[in-house]
Amino acid sequence: LSTVVFGNSVASIGARAFYGTAIRTLVFPESLVRVGAGAFENVTSLTSVVFGSSVTTIEANAFAGTSLSSVALPASLVSLGT
């Protein structure tokens, strides 16, 4: 997988759901509100993430060990894990 575009019914991505996969680009829907702990941890090829405007929570280490150099976080975000 190089690009993952989530459908509009996805509200949450579970902990370690895509741990260590080879995804390069993520596009989250407006329906997404939570990204679980370590959901994309060690996805070393990940360089691009596009958030919808409804994300309120990104848990600890959700994007640890990726190749992201910058990310635009939505104004709806209220909790960002360490």
Side-chain angles (χ1 to χ4, degrees), residues 8-49:
N8 286 330
S9 62
V10 175
S12 179
I13 297 174
R16 299 175 61 98
F18 293 90
Y19 181 94
T21 59
I23 298 167
R24 292 183 189 176
T25 302
L26 294 169
V27 180
F28 294 123
E30 294 300 317
S31 59
L32 185 75
V33 294
R34 185 183 72 82
V35 179
F40 299 96
E41 188 173 358
N42 289 330
V43 179
T44 58
S45 57
L46 186 60
T47 59
S48 176
V49 175

Side-chain angles (χ1 to χ4, degrees), residues 65-80:
T66 67
S67 294
L68 293 172
S69 59
S70 67
V71 175
L73 298 173
S76 59
L77 190 65
V78 294
S79 178
L80 181 61

Side-chain angles (χ1 to χ4, degrees), residues 44-65:
T44 58
S45 57
L46 186 60
T47 59
S48 176
V49 175
V50 178
F51 287 100
S53 61
S54 300
V55 174
T56 60
T57 304
I58 298 174
E59 295 182 358
N61 299 316
F63 296 97

